[in-house]
Amino acid sequence: MVRAALAGVGVAIAAAPLGCFVVWRRMAYLGEATAHAAVLGVALALAFSLPFLPAIVAAALAMGLTVTLLRGKGFAMDTLLGVIAHTALAAGLVTVSLLADVRLDLNAFLFGDILAVTKSDLATIWIGGALILGLMTWRWSALLVATLNPDLAYASGIDPKREEMWLTLAMALVVAVAIKVVGVLLIAALLVIPAAGARSLVKTPEAMAYCAAVIGTLAALGGLWGAYLADTPAGPSIVCAAAIFFVATALIGPMIRKD
C-alpha cells in the first residue's frame, strides 16, 4: 500500500501541469488517443523484446506526429483523433493476440494494477515524473503564450507547433509512467479531472497547476483508501475519487472565486 500510494502521488503530481494544458487547449481526446497508442507500444515491445517504457513513449510520440502531419488535410480534429486512437488500440490488441509465445494479462495495462507496483516501477514513475516536471517548467511560458494566443506567440518568436510537440512528448511520458497505475483506459481521466476541478477554484495558470496536483494527490490517496475498504479495483477507484473532488469543486468554486 505504501508503494501504491507513492506511485499514485507521483503520477498525480506529474500529470497536474500537463492536465492544465489539456483542459485549456480542449484536447482531452488527444490524451485518450495517446493512451490508446500505448497499447500498440506494449505490443511492439513484446514482439521485438524491447523495454516497455521506450516502446510506449515511441508509440505515443508517433501518434502525436501523425496527428500533427494530418491536421489541416480536410479532416476534423475529433474525427482524426478517433480514427488514430481506435486504430492504435485495435492494432495493439491484434498484435498481442498473434504472439503465440507470450502470455500477457492486458487488464493490468488497460485498467492499471497499482497494487502490483514494484520498487523499480516506483523509481521509473518518480524519475519520469521529475523529467516531465522539468520539461513543463522549462517550456511553461512558451506553452502558455502559444496556448492563449498563437499570433502573439509568432510575434514573440515562439513556434506554436514546436511547443505542441513538446506537449506531445510530455504527454507520452505521462502515459508511459501512469500506465501501471491507472491503465490505458483511465489515463485521460487522471489528466483531465484534477485540472478541471482546479479550474473552478483558482484564477491564475500557476495556481491551477498547483491546485490540480493537490486534487490529484488527494484523489490517489482517497481512491486507494476507498479500494481498501470496499475491495474495489484501485485504478477505477482513484478516478472515481477524482470525480468526487471535481463535483465538490464545481459546487464550491463559484463561491470561492466570487470572494
Side-chain angles (χ1 to χ4, degrees):
M1 286 296 289
V2 172
R3 287 199 298 268
L6 290 174
V9 171
V11 171
I13 294 174
L18 183 58
C20 293
F21 283 103
V22 169
V23 171
W24 292 330
R25 288 171 171 254
R26 300 179 181 177
M27 52 187 292
Y29 202 34
L30 180 58
E32 186 174 346
T34 306
H36 284 183
V39 176
L40 182 57
V42 170
L44 293 176
L46 292 172
F48 296 101
S49 301
L50 300 173
F52 282 123
L53 186 63
I56 291 172
V57 172
L61 282 176
M63 188 282 307
L65 288 172
T66 303
V67 171
T68 301
L69 291 174
L70 294 180
R71 180 180 297 176
K73 303 294 183 180
F75 298 101
M77 177 57 73
D78 58 344
T79 301
L80 191 60
L81 288 173
V83 170
I84 294 175
H86 294 98
T87 299
L89 179 60
L93 295 175
V94 169
T95 302
V96 170
S97 70
L98 294 175
L99 300 176
D101 297 331
V102 175
R103 294 294 180 266
L104 181 68
D105 181 15
L106 280 177
N107 285 331
F109 290 99
L110 294 177
F111 301 103
D113 193 7
I114 191 172
L115 296 178
V117 168
T118 64
K119 291 182 179 178
S120 60
D121 292 329
L122 200 57
T124 299
I125 290 170
W126 279 91
I127 292 173
L131 290 174
I132 294 164
L133 291 178
L135 176 60
M136 296 303 294
T137 300
W138 174 43
R139 306 307 305 172
W140 180 266
S141 297
L143 277 168
L144 198 58
V145 173
T147 298
L148 297 177
N149 194 326
D151 293 332
L152 179 60
Y154 278 119
S156 303
I158 299 171
D159 185 353
K161 290 185 178 181
R162 181 188 62 198
E163 299 307 320
E164 185 174 330
M165 290 311 302
W166 283 118
L167 195 61
T168 301
L169 172 60
M171 192 172 296
L173 289 172
V174 164
V175 168
V177 301
I179 192 170
K180 194 70 176 286
V181 176
V182 291
V184 167
L185 299 181
L186 302 176
I187 288 174
L190 196 61
L191 276 170
V192 174
I193 296 177
R199 192 174 190 176
S200 302
L201 301 176
V202 297
K203 298 180 180 180
T204 66
E206 291 78 12
M208 180 173 167
Y210 291 128
C211 188
V214 172
I215 292 175
T217 297
L218 293 176
L221 297 177
L224 281 173
W225 179 64
Y228 174 76
L229 293 179
D231 193 22
T232 54
S237 297
I238 291 173
V239 176
C240 288
I244 292 173
F245 279 109
F246 171 77
V247 173
T249 57
L251 293 175
I252 68 175
M255 294 183 289
I256 295 176
R257 291 171 66 94
K258 185 177 180 180
D259 294 337

